[in-house]
Amino acid sequence: MLKKLLLIGLISLGFYSCDDAIDIVQDGELNDERLFTNVGNMQMFLNEVYDRVSVQNDIMVSSLLTDEVGLGSAGFANDTQRFFIFSTNGYASAIWSQHYQAINYANRLIRGAQLVNPTTPADITAYNNILAQARAIRAFCHFQLLTYFSPDMSNNNAPGVMKMDYVPTIQQLNPRATTGEVFGLIESDLLFAENNISTATTGTDSWKYFNSNTINALRARMYLYRKNYVLAEQYADAAIANGPALATCTFGNSANIPQTTSVIPPYTAGQVTALTAMEAAAASATNAPLYRRMWVDQASAQGEMIFSLGRLNNNANFGSQYNTNQSNLGGGPLFDMGRTLFDLYSQPLGGGAEDFRRWSFVDRTSTISATPATATKNGEVIVIDKYPGKTGNAGSNDLKVFRTSEMYLIKAECRARANDLPGAALLVQQVRQARNYIAAGIVPLPVYGSNMAAYADILLERRKELAFEGHRYIDLKRLGADAGVTSTDRYPQDSVNASATNPANINVTDYRFTLPIPQNEVTVNPMSQNTGY
């Protein structure tokens, strides 16, 4: 650890030398020649690259700019949640800077690697694997930037973002490339990664690093957004075949959970007892559903995680973005679950099946109003419990990036695009069945009378399954119109002083479904702004 901290400090000296001495080698400066001397140092630098990757702000933008959250009992009016988006928006700026910082670190590693000359077979393999991970990270970050800042990811000529495959100088201007040009770099990076990566795909923490499974999942999502449904399905199939199975939601026999009765809101005394038992069982590898243990980051519970960004205890507390301290009523909820989303979880899945996501994502201390239309901010507080924290450390969770359920829903959409409606229905049914906790419950097979009906059901299932993971924002933009969904679906009480100038919902074609290029970037690096800002 001491060696790592020393390395970080020396790196900082090298990266941030004084402007008036840019071309002078300072005493003690750790430049590329001194740092990149062997594969071991490359690996240490790669660890720092991973530390710079985050989707925290991406997830929050998706929650706030759609219909996932309402203002919590401890929260204050938030411009983003009120749809007040300008070029100075803090979340847009954070997404931009966070991903470009990670790209910069990856580029420095890629440049520095040219100074290393591995000779043994083991070092050559490690060297190529490090570069493959660095380029996969660079591809992922560019893709995230396009997701939020490109007006149309399926149009190669649409304005994109900065294409950064080099380490820029302080004075250098970096133009805004087209979406097609940036995707060209992404595909080149992923091809290199595919051919050179050797990171383990199974074993302890294997899902916290880029490997061949992660690359399949990234490509599946990327080609879905690109509207290349043939390739999207191809890579979704590969991710399903080679990755973890759907996580189950059934309990161990000794858990005191009612597996033969419905759980319908509001909570009753008996249901609170059952929920308490479920929460106690969450720390048990024997009793708790794998799906729940996955969300509390049990060391042995990869579940259906294809890729997560690892966060150590006390290192980062993403849960505090929704709840100040802990994910319960006394933990200071800043944003609670939107009522329309809660109502979806409360609906039976059919066939005697019940949706475990209601149990897993809503804390039992929540206050559920029987009259939500007239409830005050404190009268109904639906506490978000999707990020409860690791065992014994409230709020500190790994950030889930790719999961097997998403791959099923990507394939379902691709089947619907190919006019295979029964095939799409079967995939949606499989996801729903995996979320059932009633022992004898069998989720019925959906029947779609049209492509639009299939898209609508897939969008619905994505809304429930992938909530609070950063998907809803882009899903409404790219799939809403095809599914017959015209706007966000926010419950009136979840809006802050809704009015003509502060609407409760916005249309899926609204310009705010593309974020503004941050003003602090445009000021120093002139480039075209997105429409509407």
Side-chain angles (χ1 to χ4, degrees):
M1 176 60 72
L2 179 61
K3 182 178 179 182
K4 181 179 178 182
L5 292 174
L6 177 59
L7 177 64
I8 296 171
L10 291 172
I11 291 171
S12 299
L13 289 174
F15 284 5
Y16 301 105
S17 56
C18 300
D19 287 348
D20 59 355
I22 292 173
D23 298 322
I24 300 174
V25 176
Q26 304 290 308
D27 291 339
E29 179 180 322
L30 186 63
N31 53 31
D32 284 1
E33 287 74 15
R34 294 182 180 181
L35 173 59
F36 295 104
T37 58
N38 56 61
V39 173
N41 280 357
M42 286 176 60
Q43 180 60 56
M44 292 178 69
F45 198 96
L46 177 64
N47 296 341
E48 293 305 313
V49 180
Y50 272 105
D51 283 347
R52 295 301 181 274
V53 184
S54 177
V55 292
Q56 175 172 307
N57 292 293
D58 313 43
I59 293 172
M60 289 308 299
V61 156
S62 188
S63 284
L64 296 173
L65 276 177
T66 61
D67 40 33
E68 289 188 341
V69 300
L71 190 62
S73 57
F76 298 94
N78 180 293
D79 281 351
T80 302
Q81 205 255 344
R82 297 165 68 193
F83 301 121
F84 292 170
I85 307 297
F86 308 102
S87 61
T88 54
N89 182 268
Y91 287 105
S93 181
I95 291 172
W96 184 273
S97 61
Q98 182 79 60
H99 290 306
Y100 275 117
Q101 183 186 66
I103 289 170
N104 185 44
Y105 268 68
N107 283 335
R108 289 179 181 276
L109 173 55
I110 293 166
R111 183 183 68 180
Q114 298 176 24
L115 302 171
V116 178
N117 183 29
T119 55
T120 69
D123 274 356
I124 292 171
T125 298
Y127 176 91
N128 290 333
N129 187 41
I130 290 167
L131 282 181
Q133 291 178 76
R135 291 187 65 168
I137 289 172
R138 185 170 74 179
F140 172 73
C141 291
H142 274 107
F143 174 66
Q144 288 298 106
L145 287 161
L146 286 173
T147 298
Y148 289 92
F149 296 99
S150 170
D152 184 357
M153 283 185 286
S154 67
N155 180 359
N156 282 337
N157 295 319
V161 293
M162 298 185 298
K163 175 186 169 184
M164 300 294 291
D165 55 354
Y166 55 90
V167 179
T169 64
I170 293 177
Q171 300 89 352
Q172 188 171 357
L173 297 179
N174 306 291
R176 186 176 185 183
T178 65
T179 291
E181 289 170 336
V182 180
F183 271 120
L185 173 62
I186 292 172
E187 291 181 313
S188 173
D189 279 343
L190 292 180
L191 180 61
F192 178 90
E194 176 189 30
N195 291 331
N196 291 278
I197 207 157
S198 56
T199 313
T201 57
T202 59
T204 303
D205 289 346
S206 59
W207 61 93
K208 297 181 183 180
Y209 302 93
F210 274 88
N211 56 41
S212 58
N213 287 344
T214 313
I215 293 170
N216 286 331
L218 173 54
R219 280 171 159 165
R221 186 189 294 176
M222 177 181 76
Y223 286 118
L224 182 76
Y225 292 3
R226 293 278 278 162
K227 299 183 180 180
N228 186 332
Y229 302 114
V230 172
L231 286 181
E233 183 170 13
Q234 173 186 319
Y235 287 110
D237 281 338
I240 292 169
N242 299 302
L246 286 170
T248 59
C249 293
T250 54
F251 290 85
N253 292 332
S254 61
N256 182 26
I257 306 298
Q259 290 183 250
T260 57
T261 58
S262 298
V263 179
I264 305 298
Y267 294 141
T268 66
Q271 289 160 3
V272 168
T273 301
L275 284 164
T276 302
M278 183 277 288
E279 289 189 338
S284 168
T286 302
N287 294 335
L290 180 58
Y291 191 70
R292 178 62 177 177
R293 290 189 283 121
M294 178 181 75
W295 292 106
V296 297
D297 296 337
Q298 280 194 0
S300 61
Q302 175 183 1
E304 61 184 50
M305 289 300 152
I306 297 174
F307 180 60
S308 294
L309 292 170
R311 294 295 183 264
L312 299 175
N313 281 344
N314 302 316
N315 175 263
N317 187 349
F318 175 64
S320 66
Q321 298 295 307
Y322 295 107
N323 302 292
T324 307
N325 298 310
Q326 299 180 3
S327 57
N328 55 49
L329 192 61
L334 299 172
F335 299 100
D336 60 2
M337 182 180 290
R339 178 69 193 217
T340 52
L341 178 58
F342 174 79
D343 286 344
L344 291 174
Y345 290 133
S346 302
Q347 295 174 6
L349 293 171
E354 296 289 342
D355 199 335
F356 180 70
R357 290 170 295 199
R358 157 82 189 289
W359 295 61
S360 193
F361 299 163
V362 180
D363 186 74
R364 68 179 181 85
T365 62
S366 299
T367 303
I368 311 299
S369 174
T371 56
T374 58
T376 63
K377 185 173 73 168
N378 293 320
E380 175 167 271
V381 184
I382 309 173
V383 182
I384 298 168
D385 198 31
K386 194 163 189 175
Y387 297 95
K390 301 176 189 294
T391 303
N393 189 359
S396 181
N397 273 117
D398 297 343
L399 297 177
K400 284 66 179 176
V401 181
F402 296 109
R403 295 196 290 118
T404 302
S405 58
E406 182 195 354
M407 300 300 110
Y408 273 76
L409 295 173
I410 288 174
K411 182 174 174 61
E413 185 176 338
C414 293
R415 286 291 81 216
R417 299 286 182 183
N419 298 315
D420 177 12
L421 302 187
L426 179 61
L427 290 155
V428 172
Q429 180 198 37
Q430 288 176 292
V431 173
R432 288 177 178 159
Q433 185 62 46
R435 300 300 164 249
N436 165 51
Y437 69 91
I438 302 297
I442 303 296
V443 177
L445 182 70
V447 177
Y448 304 137
S450 66
N451 290 71
M452 178 178 286
Y455 302 144
D457 202 37
I458 292 165
L459 182 61
L460 170 66
E461 199 55 34
R462 288 182 67 92
R463 182 182 183 184
K464 293 192 293 182
E465 175 64 19
L466 304 175
F468 313 113
E469 296 178 59
H471 293 267
R472 181 65 171 166
Y473 180 76
I474 185 62
D475 282 351
L476 285 172
K477 176 183 178 180
R478 66 171 190 83
L479 184 57
D482 290 344
V485 174
T486 59
S487 70
T488 55
D489 184 32
R490 189 180 289 175
Y491 196 77
Q493 291 295 94
D494 292 330
S495 299
V496 182
N497 301 321
S499 65
T501 57
N502 180 28
N505 290 287
I506 57 174
N507 195 283
V508 295
T509 60
D510 192 280
Y511 71 92
R512 283 165 286 193
F513 276 98
T514 303
L515 292 182
I517 304 298
Q519 187 59 48
N520 53 9
E521 179 68 49
V522 175
T523 299
V524 299
N525 185 32
M527 62 178 66
S528 62
Q529 182 56 274
N530 282 327
T531 301
Y533 299 103

